[in-house]
RNA sequence: CGGGGUGUGGCGCAGUUGGUAGCGCGCCUGGUUUGGGACCAGGAGGCCCGGGGUUCAAGUCCCCGCUCCCCGACCA
């Protein structure tokens, strides 16, 4: 079966096979061709419609069991990526369409990656941008003046409003900036059944809203900007001059209103007065208006505070190479996967789902391990252990010695690639060997006259003369050491 | 599905104000070479993406298709 993931198949399989708590926990895995109907495949192996994926599924009787299965997989994945020598970070992630709770992604931090994540420069916090939780920020305890409405002709945008403020209502301490303004973005939620609901999200005026991030929190609803037709249904919303005084389910308009957590309780804002060409100063959150709640809404930016330590966060790109998450009982419930527990009662099984993109891991490795000359395979997955380059002519001393060396290396259980092409100049063979990127290259050639072969390390770029007599042992120990 | 490119020997490309197609690599033959992508000599190979049009004349100008690539939407 060619599918995007195989949760259903595995749930049904386990339902068929097992019926007792004694059969659990159990984890099943496969390495399979998967298919995704990508709108636009790109980036070679990184993003095709067909790809190779290792996926596994765990089945447990209770939450503690699931937590252990999850941790076991997470640990195993760490060991796999360490062995591959693939640099990775583990980031908090959204579980997406499949639901569930705990979810983490393994990202290879590589510039060309398709995934954006943040990490703290002080502590070890990191998260996919969609999953960043701002956490609770301290409330603003200052006392502010009462709200004052003022005329603000031709100021439908934040930039024009800031200009106007600095010209006509200059502050004594500093200039007004976009960060002093409260921007209220009108969106609508489209539920799977097609129904829509207006939603206004308030963010500081210097920040953009991240629709994907919002969407991740209101799933399965989709988020879109409000169109003209829907705007017409809400005459209370004055475009360009929307303020929170008329927002909220308890308010005049009845439109749901959510604030980004960075708009903390007690903070004061310049914002729309719900009347054309009019804004208002000193509008305080909690005193002059109340939202229906908070929602992570701003586009995450470099320098944002870390939710765990408050340090500055940075933005980085990565390739998603693995994903682990706790599915919970969603599939088991729907498909009737239960077992009998110690008391003879039917219990719904709880599941986890864990994947590694095998083909895209190869792409990630190529990105992480190459230089201007070509690939540099990590030892653990190199197509061969050693690449023997023969620079002599057919049947001369050099080629005879090279054949012998290759045979002996093979006898030691190594995978040997030998370049014994005749009529090809040494330079060509060297370049080809570097391009292929087998970690150890043994050159049998000129230095044989001194009783040596050359052992080159593709990663380190070193070239060492080794006596022919000890070459086999030397190469074998290099390979076995995993270096 | 939007936006932008591209298409010429096997591969990578050039082709001016329209004048009947060229370069590098590769390939074939002979010879000389062998420690950083060798050299000499000779040679083969093209429906210039397709269709229509303008013109005495189109790779080149105009119109209509198609291809592949890139950027978005989408997605691991």
């Amino acid at each position: 079966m060619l599918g995007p993931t195989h949760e259903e198949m595995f749930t049904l399989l386990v339902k068929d096979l097992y019926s007792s708590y004694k059969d659990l926990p159990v984890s099943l895995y496969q390495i399979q061709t998967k298919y995704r109907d990508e709108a636009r495949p790109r980036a070679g192996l990184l993003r095709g419609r067909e790809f190779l994926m290792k996926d596994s599924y765990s089945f447990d009787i209770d939450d503690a069991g699931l937590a252990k299965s999850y941790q076991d997989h997470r640990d195993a994945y760490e060991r796999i990526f360490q062995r591959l020598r693939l640099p990775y970070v583990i980031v908090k992630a959204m579980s997406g369409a499949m639901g569930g709770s705990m979810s983490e992604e393994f990202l290879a931090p590589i510039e060309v990656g398709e995934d954006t994540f943040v990490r703290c420069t002080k502590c070890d916090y990191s998260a996919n941008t969609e999953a960043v939780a701002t956490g609770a920020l301290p409330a603003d305890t200052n006392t502010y003046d009462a709200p004052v409405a003022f005329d603000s002709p031709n100021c439908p945008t934040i930039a024009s409003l800031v200009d106007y403020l600095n010209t006509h209502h200059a502050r004594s301490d500093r200039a007004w900036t976009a960060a002093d303004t409260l921007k209220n973005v009108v969106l609508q939620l489209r539920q799977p059944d097609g129904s829509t609901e207006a939603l206004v999200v308030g963010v500081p005026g210097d920040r953009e809203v991240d629709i994907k991030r919002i969407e991740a929190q209101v799933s399965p609803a989709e988020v879109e900007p409000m169109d003209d037709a829907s705007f017409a249904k809400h005459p209370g919303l004055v475009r360009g001059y929307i303020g929170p005084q008329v927002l909220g389910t308890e308010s005049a308009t009845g439109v749901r209103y959510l604030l980004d957590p960075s708009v903390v309780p007690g903070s004061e804002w310049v914002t729309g007065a719900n009347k054309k060409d009019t804004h208002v100063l000193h509008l305080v959150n909690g005193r002059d208006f109340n939202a229906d709640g908070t929602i992570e809404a701003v586009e995450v930016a470099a320098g944002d505070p870390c939710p765990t330590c408050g340090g500055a966060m940075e933005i980085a790109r990565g390739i998603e190479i693995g994903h682990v998450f706790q599915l919970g009982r969603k599939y088991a419930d729907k498909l009737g996967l239960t077992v009998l527990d110690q008391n003879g009662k039917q219990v719904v099984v709880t599941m986890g789902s864990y994947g590694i993109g095998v083909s895209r891991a190869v792409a990630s490795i190529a990105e992480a391990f190459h230089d201007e000359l070509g690939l540099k395979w990590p030892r653990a997955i190199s197509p061969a252990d050693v690449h023997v380059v023969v620079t002599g002519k057919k049947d001369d001393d050099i080629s005879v010695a090279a054949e012998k060396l290759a045979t002996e290396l093979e006898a030691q259980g190594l995978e040997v690639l030998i370049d014994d092409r005749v009529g090809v100049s040494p330079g060509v063979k060297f370049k080809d060997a570097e391009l292929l990127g087998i970690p150890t290259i043994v050159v049998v050639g000129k230095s044989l006259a001194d009783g040596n072969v050359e052992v080159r390390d593709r990663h380190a770029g070193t070239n060492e003369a080794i006596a022919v007599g000890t070459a086999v042992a030397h190469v074998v120990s290099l390979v076995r050491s995993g270096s």
Side-chain angles (χ1 to χ4, degrees):
Chain A
M1 172 174 180
L2 202 54
T5 58
H6 290 160
E7 277 79 3
E8 295 90 344
M9 302 314 294
F10 276 82
T11 306
L12 291 171
L13 183 64
V14 168
K15 182 180 175 181
D16 244 22
L17 292 174
Y18 304 118
S19 50
S20 161
Y21 73 97
K22 291 178 188 165
D23 296 320
L24 304 185
V26 64
S27 285
L28 302 172
Y29 83 95
Q30 63 175 353
I31 295 172
Q32 258 287 359
T33 302
K34 294 276 160 80
Y35 177 81
R36 298 269 159 99
D37 190 12
E38 290 292 343
R40 182 163 78 91
R42 67 187 99 173
L45 289 177
L46 226 46
R47 177 158 238 89
R49 287 211 171 93
E50 182 181 320
F51 56 99
L52 199 60
M53 181 169 161
K54 174 264 155 197
D55 49 330
S56 51
Y57 306 91
S58 68
F59 301 85
D60 281 277
I61 189 98
D62 56 22
D63 293 349
L66 171 58
K68 178 170 191 316
S69 293
Y70 179 88
Q71 190 62 42
D72 287 349
H73 271 89
R74 193 178 187 277
D75 292 346
Y77 278 20
E78 290 211 61
R79 288 193 297 271
I80 288 170
F81 293 126
Q82 280 162 14
R83 236 174 111 184
L84 293 181
R85 300 237 192 149
L86 201 49
Y88 65 92
V89 291
I90 300 176
V91 305
K92 292 184 179 22
M94 305 303 293
S95 37
M98 275 164 290
S101 49
M102 184 67 179
S103 171
E104 289 169 297
E105 279 174 14
F106 287 74
L107 297 181
I110 292 167
E111 272 307 300
V112 300
E114 79 292 342
D115 233 321
T116 308
F117 67 102
V118 294
R119 56 183 160 193
C120 180
T121 52
K122 288 218 179 83
C123 72
D124 62 357
Y125 177 84
S126 61
N128 192 303
T129 48
E130 287 166 29
V132 174
T134 308
L137 297 169
D140 187 340
T141 53
N142 293 320
T143 307
Y144 293 107
D145 294 345
V148 186
F150 63 98
D151 288 339
S152 54
N154 303 316
C155 295
T157 64
I158 298 287
S160 55
L161 174 62
V162 170
D163 277 351
Y164 186 87
L165 282 168
N166 281 319
T167 311
H168 300 275
H169 297 270
R171 340 175 20 134
S172 52
D173 54 343
R174 60 175 173 84
W176 291 101
T177 70
D180 298 311
T181 68
L182 179 62
K183 177 160 68 179
N184 297 294
V185 180
V186 185
L187 303 169
Q188 63 185 6
L189 302 184
R190 185 174 297 277
Q191 301 296 340
D193 65 9
S195 64
T196 60
E197 179 203 350
L199 169 69
V200 177
V201 172
V203 301
D206 60 333
R207 305 301 294 264
E208 295 302 317
V209 301
D210 184 339
I211 295 212
K212 300 218 26 164
R213 215 172 149 215
I214 294 173
E215 213 157 47
Q217 296 163 88
V218 297
S219 175
E222 289 174 17
V223 180
E224 52 197 52
M226 185 174 280
D227 55 42
D228 292 347
S230 303
F231 244 109
K233 291 182 205 153
H234 296 279
L237 301 178
V238 184
R239 268 182 148 161
Y241 301 90
I242 295 166
Q245 307 89 321
V246 298
L247 297 170
T249 49
E250 303 296 314
S251 72
T253 59
V255 173
R256 192 141 77 102
Y257 183 52
L258 298 172
L259 287 171
D260 184 81
S262 58
V263 182
V264 298
S267 54
E268 71 155 352
W269 301 89
V270 183
T271 191
N274 301 298
K275 196 172 136 190
K276 189 163 164 42
D277 295 335
T278 312
H279 281 85
V280 58
L281 285 162
H282 310 306
L283 206 69
V284 173
N285 179 15
R287 182 187 74 182
D288 305 315
F289 67 92
N290 288 292
D292 297 312
T294 60
I295 187 165
E296 303 284 353
V298 301
E299 213 164 69
V300 177
D304 279 1
C306 167
T308 52
C309 78
M313 296 197 295
E314 63 177 3
I315 299 219
R317 312 261 310 160
I319 298 173
E320 181 177 349
I321 48 177
H323 199 158
V324 290
F325 67 94
Q326 301 189 4
L327 280 176
R329 297 181 174 79
K330 180 179 169 177
Y331 285 88
D333 246 339
K334 291 249 159 67
L335 297 171
L337 169 59
T338 59
V339 295
L340 290 177
D341 69 6
Q342 293 94 320
N343 306 313
K345 284 194 181 139
Q346 295 284 346
V347 183
V348 177
V349 168
T350 184
M351 296 169 55
S353 167
Y354 320 92
I356 288 180
V358 176
S359 44
R360 71 181 353 226
V362 174
S364 308
I365 284 159
E367 285 298 335
F369 297 102
H370 75 271
D371 58 19
E372 61 290 344
L373 296 172
L375 280 177
K376 300 188 285 188
W377 285 102
R379 182 76 74 193
I381 53 160
S382 176
D385 295 309
V386 54
H387 186 154
V388 177
V389 172
V390 191
T391 63
K393 296 180 190 128
K394 192 165 170 50
D395 293 332
D396 67 3
D397 290 351
I398 291 173
S399 76
V400 168
E403 292 282 356
K404 181 163 173 282
L405 178 69
T407 306
E408 288 172 7
L409 288 169
E410 275 181 340
Q412 292 294 313
L414 300 196
E415 194 85 35
V416 181
L417 185 64
I418 179 161
D419 187 350
D420 58 358
R421 288 175 292 175
V422 294
V424 176
S425 72
V428 173
K429 292 183 179 177
F430 295 154
K431 290 288 182 198
D432 282 349
E434 282 148 1
L435 183 65
L436 290 177
I438 306 302
T440 300
I441 298 166
V442 176
V443 179
V444 184
K446 213 167 58 175
S447 51
L448 190 66
D450 307 321
N452 291 329
V453 297
E454 294 153 55
V455 177
R456 301 184 177 187
D457 184 311
R458 181 69 179 89
H459 287 267
T462 54
N463 186 7
E464 203 181 351
I466 300 291
V468 181
T470 61
V472 171
H474 181 79
V475 170
V476 167
S477 82
L478 278 180
V479 173
R480 301 266 152 81
S481 76
S483 66

